Amino acid sequence: MPDSIKSLGGALRRATRERLTFNGRNHSVLILSLGGLALSLLVRALTPDGYEFPETLAKRFDLAGAVNEAENWLQENISFITRAVSEFMGYWLEKLELFLWFAPWPAVALALTLPALAYGGLGLGLFTFAGVMCWGLFGMWDAAMSTLSLMGVSVIFSAILGILVGILCARSNRTEAIVRPILDTMQTMPAFVYLIPAIFFFGIGGPSAAVAIVIYAIPPVIRLTNLGIRQVPATMIEAADAFGSTPRQRLWKVEIPQALPSIMLGINQTIMMALGLCVLATFIGAGGLGEEVWKALRRLKVGWALEGGLCIVFMAIIFDRLSIAMSTPADRRSLYDPSRLRFRLLPQKWDSFAPARWIESVIDVLWRKAVMISGAVAGLSAAAAIAAKPLIGEEFAALLSARMRSRHGLLTGGVLIILIFLWDSWISGIGTFPRDWTISIREPADGAVAWLAVNPTFIAFTTGTRAFIYLYILNPLDNFFVGLPWWYVLAAFFVLILVSVNWKFAVISVLAFLFTGITDLWGVTMYTLASTIASVSVCVVIGLPIGIIAAHNRTLDNFIRPILDAMQTMPAFVYLVPVLMFFGGNPVTAIIATVVYAIPPMIRMTILGLRQVPENVTEVSGSFGATGLQTLIKLKLPMASPSIMLGVNQSVVMALAMQVITPLVAGLGLGKEVFDAMNFADTGQGLMAGIGIVLLAIVLDRLTQGWTRRQRQALGL
Amino acid sequence: MKPLHILKTGGAALATSLMALVGSPVAAQGVLTAPVADWTGGQVTCHILQVILEDELGYKVKRIVMPAGPAIWEGVRSGDMDFGCEAWPSYNPISREYVAELGGDGSIAFLGEAGIIGRSSYYVPRYLVEGDDAPAKGLNMLADLNNHVDLFKTLESGDRGRLIGCPVAAWLCEDDKRLEANGINFTAVELGSETAHWAEMQAAYNRGEAFVAYAWEPHWIHAALDLHKVELPPYSEDAFPATGWSEDVTFNYGNPNMLTDHPEAAAVITNSYLTNEQQAGMILAIDVDGRDIDEVVREWMAANEDIWRAWLP
């Protein structure tokens, strides 16, 4: 059987490649897609409306009931284990939270700014300081400290556990094969499915939230640790073995250090994902910035929610940039021309502008002074360390003083932080962020939303957009997919995946779709498919042109970059209410909210793909007399297509992740099933719908990845 | 130990000792945990109890912000939270599973009626029915909706009117069945969350659009928007959902351990009884005048000492 399927796939692929070539050009993809579409439309036209998955199959298995039984059993029998875990997590969480709450605020600000300054330079340092100040100025200092401690504890646990599992995966292919699908599931399983059941096992508030965050955010560390260790050059391992290192030495002295940049990237992604969950964590009482957003939203205070959202955005961007700066070696310094003033804040290419030079020379003087002072502090401490030689041993004293001198900035900062603490506890209390230092954007933000919501021109625009998306995209797709006979959908996906991925995955996908059928979720799954395709097509239609323009225009690029950052890290809850006020309560609002969330990778990957096209390609094409538009369409876009396809892939995955959020604003489909199940506290039903989303995500992810790979092969990359 | 290790552990030790320097400030004695309700009325009810428990009985009440719904019930059931105030049976189908008095397994204790009576119905903005050129004059009863189908049509509802129904499926409002049973040519939409429900009403109201929506009293939306009630057929158990809703008799609840471990606190919660009229003034002060809840509650308590003193055991 497998062999015959395999050969069928091969034959199909050969046929498409060889037979459909006319005039020396391969039209296979075009012809096949048109043919497939025509066939599907024909089948749809021939089947009556309301053709459904056979009820005898759909109602036969009560999987949801079995899950609920299992949950009851687990509640009675393993709660004591999970409670011990959460007590352990809760202990550290509480310690850190109380510490941050009662620590003098300048010490906290300095402790965050200092590494940013040391690793990311003046720009990142200033940004970090401004972000931290915003937490205080928006009146959310305590909330930010809670979120910070929740992030800290869950990221540290994720890192420790993730690196361990990653090492195990790198050691054995079998472990990796077992772990990989589990990671896929953890990443795509909607948190709403396990958030409520988690309460009975792990309690309310922080500990439960930390567990949920670890589940959701650990996969990148595991994946990238595994990848990093596997990519260590074999010659290096051989050399280590040749020098007689034990496996343990090899791991800690060769493999881990070599894999460190990769591991850091994994931790970076883990931090981002963890922050993504911090609003959802409010659903189980975790407090922090998410609570501010939730409190604001339930009273429709958009401005207040926006401030909370911005605090989260700042936190995300700070940690993102900092962890990236820490994982990339700093060798840029050598590139600077010593005869010119080295710019620390502004772009170096601005050095032809006098005002930029003035600003930078002031910064330069201050910088040098700071370096001098911190050098002096370090010198003093180093001298003290040398003087303490008899106490701590010669070797250690030498090392200590050398370290102090080489990292004088961090040392001085540390001394400063300790001084602030001493000042706070012995001289005069500094305490938490002063209450009367505030800035607020609540009123202008509320005003803007209220004004837009009644502005006739804007409302005419939103009404038109909504009507267009509903009448011409969502409704036809919905009718089409929901009306297609189930056996046809199965067959179509089978062929599609057979051609684009491989026969094994084609069989798995068919089983996945059958699963949604037998759990009585066929119709909603098809609706989810339709609305995902609708959202992603809107992403492509809007994102591709923006990406193309931004790839050719630096100003636009610089302008949209921070907006894209904010769109990706801003909790969706913040913009759900304004989007609903503008577009009204209907499924299109859900699509619009999904587009806002899922469009950034589409734009980013388009820009990246076009930028990566070598300069000389455009030059050659220009010298043959091609116009800019011709070069773009015939050369650059095809060459950038793998990257653009990757953007589509990420948009698809993100659109599916958004499926569980959109039910809050009238979204339908599998996400709504999850959400309703949560409200009924029906874990079984929620899990079934959650698995449906996971399966859909995995199938669509592999499918689009398969297309990307074929595109790369076609281009010989 | 290598010098480098000593350096690193030294740093960690320093950080930990700094943490110890700050220390934990709260003595953990007699702490009760309760959720903060999503709605002002529930916040008022619970805040009064919090003040009594703290000032009269010497407890410390820790409040946790959580969206209303099953999460709170799971938290009270597992004992992470001790009690909750003013549960509305309609919006908490899960209470029927856990509260013995409502037919549940008794894993959550019933701590007396809260006193607040909830009344649900459909509402339209007053500008639709009052004024000289009001488009839906005389829209008072459910059956009157059929005279104004065109006014309430939308893209998705086709040639039927659109009713903004109960936002959450789990509330079992059965809006569509009610419309069908009464021969109303409308379809109900479910916006998925309370937040979306109120946002949709607020935005449509600001634009002066026509809408008919599910809502209940007491609720802050009536302070924000001027709404007119559409009368539903009076509730009858046999005919529901063709009729309107029964009155929601709200109640307080807690973990069963409350009764044994904190009998005095449980008694205060059980005895407490706040009527709609008593609550209304406070809701207005908080929602309309934007005053601080603690201030408003303490003011009311100072003026009505005889009411709440009677709840003390």
Side-chain angles (χ1 to χ4, degrees):
Chain A
M1 177 70 180
D3 280 336
S4 58
I5 298 176
K6 223 190 237 171
S7 57
L8 175 65
L12 268 174
R13 234 169 290 157
R14 264 196 309 285
T16 59
R17 216 171 294 145
E18 288 159 13
R19 307 259 164 82
L20 300 172
T21 303
F22 309 116
N23 301 336
R25 286 165 74 184
N26 189 331
H27 294 280
S28 60
V29 174
L30 185 70
I31 289 175
L32 267 188
S33 355
L34 285 181
L37 191 65
L39 182 64
S40 307
L41 287 171
L42 185 71
V43 171
R44 174 65 185 95
L46 290 177
T47 45
D49 280 341
Y51 189 93
E52 277 169 4
F53 197 80
E55 206 166 299
T56 43
L57 270 177
K59 302 267 194 243
R60 171 155 248 149
F61 309 96
D62 184 20
L63 291 172
V67 171
N68 288 339
E69 294 280 315
E71 191 198 359
N72 288 340
W73 186 86
L74 288 174
Q75 280 191 352
E76 272 164 38
N77 293 291
I78 70 151
S79 284
F80 69 98
I81 303 174
T82 55
R83 284 281 167 171
V85 172
S86 76
E87 216 148 281
F88 179 68
M89 291 267 216
Y91 172 79
W92 290 105
L93 199 58
E94 196 181 4
K95 264 225 134 108
L96 189 58
E97 194 172 43
L98 286 174
F99 172 70
L100 287 173
W101 273 349
F102 291 94
W105 72 269
V108 176
L110 199 62
L112 288 167
T113 310
L114 213 62
L117 210 55
Y119 291 101
L122 190 60
L124 186 60
L126 283 181
F127 178 82
T128 304
F129 187 70
V132 172
M133 288 301 282
C134 269
W135 300 342
L137 292 172
F138 285 155
M140 298 185 179
W141 184 265
D142 284 0
M145 292 305 109
S146 296
T147 299
L148 208 55
S149 53
L150 180 60
M151 291 301 119
V153 169
S154 32
V155 169
I156 289 170
F157 273 98
S158 302
I160 295 172
L161 203 64
I163 291 173
L164 285 178
V165 177
I167 292 170
L168 290 180
C169 287
R171 282 286 154 81
S172 130
N173 286 334
R174 182 174 295 176
T175 317
E176 195 200 5
I178 296 170
V179 168
R180 189 181 282 265
I182 300 178
L183 296 185
D184 284 342
T185 311
M186 280 158 71
Q187 247 178 325
T188 42
M189 177 65 77
F192 277 130
V193 172
Y194 50 81
L195 223 39
I196 306 296
I199 290 177
F200 200 92
F201 294 105
F202 296 99
I204 50 163
S208 232
V211 171
I213 290 173
V214 170
I215 293 176
Y216 176 69
I218 205 174
V221 193
I222 300 179
R223 280 185 220 275
L224 282 153
T225 304
N226 174 28
L227 189 75
I229 292 179
R230 278 171 190 267
Q231 279 177 346
V232 175
T235 47
M236 241 170 192
I237 308 280
E238 279 163 24
D241 288 342
F243 281 108
S245 59
T246 62
R248 200 163 153 195
Q249 281 174 329
R250 196 179 71 197
L251 179 70
W252 290 106
K253 307 267 164 173
V254 180
E255 288 174 333
I256 297 270
Q258 281 294 314
L260 207 56
S262 177
I263 296 175
M264 279 305 293
L265 194 66
I267 293 177
N268 163 281
Q269 289 188 20
T270 293
I271 297 174
M272 292 291 111
M273 291 178 70
L275 274 166
L277 213 58
C278 83
V279 176
L280 286 196
T282 309
F283 274 71
I284 47 176
L289 290 170
E291 179 183 313
E292 294 285 333
V293 173
W294 177 257
K295 279 198 293 199
L297 281 184
R298 67 182 187 202
R299 300 304 310 278
L300 310 182
K301 306 281 187 209
V302 178
W304 179 6
L306 182 67
E307 285 183 0
L310 279 177
C311 287
I312 295 172
V313 169
F314 287 136
M315 197 177 279
I317 296 180
I318 289 169
F319 285 125
D320 178 51
R321 300 295 190 275
L322 181 62
S323 53
I324 285 179
M326 284 170 89
S327 58
T328 44
D331 54 5
R332 278 167 298 169
R333 208 152 303 169
S334 55
L335 295 173
Y336 288 102
D337 175 1
S339 67
R340 287 194 298 181
L341 179 66
R342 191 183 144 220
F343 275 24
R344 296 181 197 276
L345 181 64
L346 303 170
Q348 187 75 37
K349 65 177 181 192
W350 288 9
D351 65 0
S352 51
F353 303 114
R357 277 203 303 277
W358 295 334
I359 295 172
E360 285 292 341
S361 54
V362 173
I363 292 175
D364 194 53
V365 169
L366 292 176
W367 186 275
R368 277 168 205 280
K369 284 266 185 296
V371 169
M372 213 172 77
I373 295 170
S374 96
V377 172
L380 273 178
S381 334
I386 299 286
K389 210 182 327 183
L391 268 174
I392 56 176
E394 193 160 335
E395 193 195 354
F396 185 54
L399 179 84
L400 194 60
S401 64
R403 288 262 155 175
M404 282 174 167
R405 280 181 206 279
S406 66
R407 287 242 168 254
H408 62 83
L410 285 178
L411 174 77
T412 313
V415 170
L416 208 55
I417 291 174
I418 293 173
L419 284 180
I420 294 173
F421 266 101
L422 292 176
W423 181 280
D424 178 64
S425 22
W426 300 103
I427 300 174
S428 89
I430 304 170
T432 188
F433 200 87
R435 266 174 194 280
D436 40 340
W437 292 12
T438 56
I439 49 171
S440 176
I441 53 166
R442 287 180 199 190
E443 278 179 20
D446 284 342
V449 171
W451 181 77
L452 275 175
V454 296
N455 180 295
T457 322
F458 184 68
I459 291 305
F461 162 74
T462 58
T463 317
T465 313
R466 166 189 157 194
F468 179 82
I469 293 179
Y470 181 74
L471 290 176
Y472 300 106
I473 302 178
L474 181 63
N475 204 29
L477 274 173
D478 176 21
N479 269 332
F480 176 65
F481 276 109
V482 176
L484 273 179
W486 60 276
W487 45 265
Y488 178 77
V489 175
L490 286 184
F493 264 96
F494 182 77
V495 172
L496 196 61
I497 293 167
L498 188 63
V499 174
S500 341
V501 192
N502 58 33
W503 71 268
K504 261 189 205 158
F505 196 66
V507 174
I508 293 174
S509 308
V510 167
L511 292 178
F513 277 107
L514 268 178
F515 177 84
T516 67
I518 62 163
T519 47
D520 204 6
L521 292 168
W522 182 266
V524 276
T525 305
M526 288 301 114
Y527 179 85
T528 308
L529 191 60
S531 78
T532 306
I533 294 176
S535 315
V536 173
S537 21
V538 177
C539 283
V540 174
V541 169
I542 300 175
L544 200 59
I546 295 182
I548 291 172
I549 300 169
H552 295 90
N553 183 335
R554 284 273 169 191
T555 324
L556 180 67
D557 188 19
N558 288 333
F559 176 70
I560 61 171
R561 221 160 257 272
I563 299 179
L564 295 183
D565 281 340
M567 277 161 83
Q568 266 184 310
T569 45
M570 177 70 75
F573 285 73
V574 175
Y575 52 79
L576 284 183
V577 166
V579 168
L580 184 112
M581 285 183 159
F582 300 151
F583 291 89
N586 56 71
V588 175
T589 297
I591 303 257
I592 307 259
T594 310
V595 170
V596 174
Y597 179 68
I599 205 172
M602 187 62 224
I603 299 178
R604 272 187 223 274
M605 297 310 288
T606 307
I607 299 176
L608 186 75
L610 288 173
R611 287 264 166 82
Q612 278 174 344
V613 174
E615 234 7 82
N616 52 11
V617 170
T618 6
E619 278 164 25
V620 170
S621 136
S623 68
F624 278 105
T627 63
L629 195 64
Q630 279 174 333
T631 312
L632 178 71
I633 292 173
K634 304 261 168 181
L635 259 174
K636 287 168 99 180
L637 279 181
M639 287 187 76
S641 59
S643 177
I644 295 174
M645 268 317 293
L646 199 63
V648 174
N649 166 278
Q650 289 187 19
S651 285
V652 169
V653 175
M654 288 175 76
L656 272 166
M658 193 69 179
Q659 288 295 322
V660 271
I661 309 289
T662 55
L664 284 163
V665 286
L668 301 169
L670 284 169
K672 171 109 174 114
E673 296 290 319
V674 170
F675 204 72
D676 283 349
M678 182 184 89
N679 277 320
F680 277 114
D682 184 345
T683 310
Q685 195 56 35
L687 187 66
M688 292 309 123
I691 292 176
I693 292 180
V694 170
L695 294 175
L696 214 49
I698 292 176
V699 169
L700 292 182
D701 176 52
R702 292 285 153 81
L703 192 58
T704 40
Q705 265 182 19
W707 291 339
T708 314
R709 204 172 313 121
R710 311 207 78 208
Q711 206 69 39
R712 294 179 73 90
Q713 281 165 0
L715 290 168
L717 289 169
Chain B
M1 237 182 177
K2 295 270 178 55
L4 193 60
H5 286 163
I6 300 175
L7 197 63
K8 281 178 183 164
T9 23
L14 191 69
T16 337
S17 54
L18 270 179
M19 281 169 71
L21 197 77
V22 171
S24 156
V26 187
Q29 220 168 35
V31 178
L32 293 176
T33 312
V36 175
D38 272 350
W39 62 102
T40 320
Q43 284 169 20
V44 167
T45 316
C46 231
H47 202 93
I48 295 174
L49 283 173
Q50 178 176 359
V51 173
I52 298 174
L53 291 172
E54 288 187 345
D55 292 3
E56 303 295 323
L57 300 184
Y59 281 97
K60 168 87 190 99
V61 180
K62 189 174 156 201
R63 303 297 300 276
I64 297 196
V65 174
M66 250 166 135
I72 289 179
W73 293 88
E74 290 298 330
V76 173
R77 190 165 81 103
S78 67
D80 291 290
M81 285 192 283
D82 298 290
F83 70 95
C85 324
E86 207 194 293
W88 292 52
S90 298
Y91 310 122
N92 293 288
I94 192 174
S95 62
R96 290 189 276 277
E97 241 170 79
Y98 294 151
V99 180
E101 281 76 356
L102 302 174
D105 60 6
S107 54
I108 286 180
F110 180 85
L111 297 181
E113 288 180 13
I116 303 298
I117 303 292
R119 296 181 181 91
S120 308
S121 192
Y122 298 144
Y123 292 83
V124 292
R126 199 171 294 283
Y127 55 71
L128 284 186
V129 290
E130 276 175 23
D132 291 334
D133 50 356
K137 254 188 197 164
L139 171 51
N140 294 317
M141 311 294 289
L142 184 63
D144 298 337
L145 279 174
N146 274 338
N147 304 334
H148 305 283
V149 173
D150 285 343
L151 189 61
F152 296 101
K153 263 189 203 167
T154 63
L155 197 59
E156 294 85 3
S157 69
D159 49 3
R160 316 179 75 182
R162 169 181 184 257
L163 166 81
I164 306 172
C166 255
V168 179
W171 293 353
L172 305 172
C173 288
E174 314 275 18
D175 291 308
D176 271 323
K177 284 189 189 155
R178 178 170 304 103
L179 294 172
E180 204 190 317
N182 287 284
I184 310 294
N185 192 20
F186 272 56
T187 53
V189 293
E190 194 177 280
L191 295 189
S193 65
E194 262 192 86
T195 307
H197 189 79
W198 309 126
E200 168 89 341
M201 282 171 74
Q202 177 92 61
Y205 187 92
N206 290 351
R207 287 195 285 267
E209 287 171 1
F211 66 88
V212 49
Y214 169 85
W216 66 88
E217 284 176 291
H219 193 277
W220 63 263
I221 196 76
H222 302 285
L225 316 179
D226 190 6
L227 299 174
H228 170 79
K229 192 187 221 169
V230 177
E231 293 294 339
L232 304 182
Y235 173 75
S236 92
E237 202 182 330
D238 304 325
F240 190 84
T243 67
W245 287 266
S246 66
E247 288 181 334
D248 244 323
V249 181
T250 66
F251 61 93
N252 301 325
Y253 56 100
N255 188 280
N257 289 341
M258 275 288 284
L259 297 168
T260 47
D261 299 353
H262 307 283
E264 284 196 319
V268 169
I269 298 168
T270 312
N271 294 341
S272 75
Y273 195 91
L274 198 68
T275 63
N276 289 26
E277 290 69 31
Q278 288 162 349
Q279 203 191 49
M282 286 184 271
I283 293 182
L284 231 56
I286 295 161
D287 281 334
V288 182
D289 307 337
R291 291 178 57 201
D292 180 55
I293 180 168
D294 190 58
E295 199 184 288
V296 171
V297 162
R298 280 176 195 277
E299 207 177 271
W300 181 87
M301 289 178 72
N304 298 283
E305 212 158 309
D306 52 320
I307 297 179
W308 61 265
R309 285 249 172 241
W311 304 342
L312 292 172

